[in-house]
């Protein structure tokens, strides 16, 4: 192990091989915590005896900060904005690799931290997927009338998130969505596999979307029946790259100069930057129109 950033404090073998889903062509990930801060977490690759090994270095300060964020904040958060989802996903991905990995070596302090982390991960990952299932389902509802094919894709993603949560609660906690089918197969979850196939095979024509939405909706009600979202709400914000321009009696909303939508001046989107709704609340048509055209970002938060 390269010691350019100090002697490693902890080294774990992680990734799909350790999780039980790898094959002869899979690489092996070594996650290391080092005393000094590192400029990048891009893997350092090597090929001993033809095997690919990716070493990913993490500074101790960075890992400690990410861990504290997980232990001191609940999910969904009290207030959410663009970028928060990506940050949370990155934190869960990197920190979970240490907790679920095979401990190879470490100082007593960091080895104890790794064992403690293993016991804490399930709740964090489960809450992530619960919120994602709700978020994607709400998006599907808004898309249903205007872009039914997109609605079908979104509700399929909602079902996949609910199945990920189901797998976590049954012990399959590896935080990589591409292995969902293998997780369910490993658990011998035949009902879950059937639902997974449905999530991955949305209808090919708009006329079949309503029936698909209803069928998947029933499964979501089943798999998410224990999720208490009574205090949750939707927050919509302008997506990155969005700008507004006055144009007579209208306001033009554009993003990256690639798409533009005209909404009435003086309406709910005039000068406003965020909107909040209850989960089952209907959105104002102007707000919904902006969202459908990919001009707004959707998040779920829990103020309580």
């Amino acid at each position: 192990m390269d010691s350019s950033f100090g002697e490693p404090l902890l080294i774990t073998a992680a990734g799909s091989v350790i999780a039980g889903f790898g094959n002869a062509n899979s690489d092996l990930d070594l996650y290391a915590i080092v005393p000094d801060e590192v400029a990048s977490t891009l893997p350092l690759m090597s090929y001993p005896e033809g095997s690919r090994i990716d070493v990913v270095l993490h500074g101790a300060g960075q890992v400690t900060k990410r861990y504290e964020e997980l232990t001191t904040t609940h999910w969904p958060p009290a207030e959410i904005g663009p970028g928060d989802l990506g940050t949370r996903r990155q934190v869960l991905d990197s920190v979970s690799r240490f907790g679920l990995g095979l401990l190879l070596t470490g100082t007593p302090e960091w080895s104890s931290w790794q064992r403690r982390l293993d016991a804490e991960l399930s709740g964090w990952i489960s809450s992530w997927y619960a919120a994602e299932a709700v978020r994607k389902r709400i998006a599907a509802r808004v898309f249903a009338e205007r872009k039914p094919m997109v609605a079908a894709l979104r509700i399929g993603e909602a079902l996949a998130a609910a199945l990920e949560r189901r797998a976590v609660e049954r012990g399959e906690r590896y935080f990589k969505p591409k292995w969902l089918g293998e997780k369910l197969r490993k658990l011998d979850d035949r009902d879950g596999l059937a639902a997974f196939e449905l999530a991955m095979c949305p209808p090919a024509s708009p006329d079949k979307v309503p029936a698909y939405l209803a069928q998947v909706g029933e499964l979501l009600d089943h798999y998410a029946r224990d999720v208490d979202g009574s205090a949750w709400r939707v927050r919509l914000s302008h997506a990155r790259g969005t700008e507004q321009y006055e144009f007579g009696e209208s306001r033009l909303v554009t993003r990256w100069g690639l798409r533009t939508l005209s909404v009435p001046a003086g309406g709910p989107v005039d000068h406003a930057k965020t909107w909040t709704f209850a989960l089952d609340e209907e959105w104002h048509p102007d707000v919904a129109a902006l969202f459908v055209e990919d001009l707004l970002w959707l998040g779920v938060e829990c103020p309580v």
Side-chain angles (χ1 to χ4, degrees):
M1 183 73 70
D2 191 335
S3 59
S4 300
F5 298 93
E7 288 295 323
L9 303 170
L10 181 78
I11 302 176
T12 60
S16 59
V17 173
I18 299 300
F21 307 121
N23 54 48
N25 297 316
S26 298
D27 59 337
L28 179 64
D29 299 324
L30 294 183
Y31 270 55
I33 297 176
V34 293
D36 299 335
E37 292 306 306
V38 296
S40 171
T41 55
L42 290 175
L44 308 174
M45 293 171 286
S46 61
Y47 300 86
E49 300 183 5
S51 299
R52 172 173 167 169
I53 296 181
D54 290 348
V55 178
V56 185
L57 302 179
H58 295 74
Q62 179 192 53
V63 172
T64 299
K65 181 179 179 181
R66 288 182 172 181
Y67 175 71
E68 289 177 348
E69 180 180 335
L70 290 171
T71 56
T72 58
T73 61
H74 61 80
W75 196 261
E79 185 172 319
I80 196 166
D84 292 343
L85 282 173
T87 299
R88 183 75 171 192
R89 183 169 48 241
Q90 183 183 33
V91 169
L92 280 173
D93 184 35
S94 64
V95 174
S96 66
R97 296 296 187 98
F98 290 107
L100 301 178
L102 174 65
L103 177 62
L104 300 180
T105 184
T107 65
E109 177 186 1
W110 281 99
S111 297
S112 175
W113 172 80
Q114 194 258 1
R115 291 190 295 270
R116 184 170 69 252
L117 177 62
D118 183 27
E120 296 172 324
L121 282 171
S122 295
W124 298 331
I125 299 175
S126 178
S127 63
W128 164 266
Y129 284 124
E132 280 299 277
V134 170
R135 191 172 74 94
K136 297 288 188 176
R137 187 177 191 177
I138 291 172
R141 185 188 72 199
V142 180
F143 275 114
E145 291 187 9
R146 298 172 175 85
K147 295 185 178 180
M149 299 299 286
V150 178
L153 292 175
R154 291 296 172 268
I155 204 166
E157 292 169 353
L159 180 55
L163 291 171
E164 286 280 11
R165 179 173 177 268
R166 177 182 173 92
V168 169
E169 293 175 345
R170 296 187 174 194
E172 290 297 329
R173 301 175 294 167
Y174 185 44
F175 194 65
K176 280 292 182 182
K178 70 178 181 180
W179 296 108
L180 175 55
E182 292 302 312
K183 294 174 189 177
L184 297 171
R185 187 172 290 109
K186 187 176 178 181
L187 292 168
D188 194 26
D189 186 350
R190 297 184 181 181
D191 290 341
L193 281 169
F196 175 63
E197 182 178 359
L198 183 66
M200 295 296 103
C201 299
S205 58
D207 61 296
K208 297 181 179 179
V209 169
Y212 181 78
L213 295 178
Q215 184 180 8
V216 176
E218 290 181 3
L219 287 172
L220 283 169
D221 290 339
H222 171 69
Y223 288 124
R225 61 187 181 277
D226 60 332
V227 175
D228 182 11
S230 57
W232 296 7
R233 68 183 184 187
V234 172
R235 176 175 288 269
L236 292 145
S237 308
H238 282 288
R240 287 177 176 169
T242 302
E243 297 179 329
Q244 296 189 38
Y245 301 94
E246 293 184 4
F247 189 76
E249 299 295 324
S250 301
R251 179 166 292 275
L252 301 181
V253 185
T254 181
R255 186 180 184 195
W256 305 122
L258 297 176
R259 59 183 65 215
T260 302
L261 187 70
S262 174
V263 293
V269 303
D270 196 1
H271 297 296
K273 295 183 178 180
T274 62
W275 303 263
T276 58
F277 300 97
L279 296 189
D280 59 352
E281 184 180 356
E282 291 295 324
W283 303 357
H284 188 281
D286 291 350
V287 177
L290 290 178
F291 176 75
V292 168
E293 292 304 321
D294 199 30
L295 297 169
L296 298 182
W297 176 88
L298 166 65
V300 174
E301 59 189 22
C302 181
V304 179

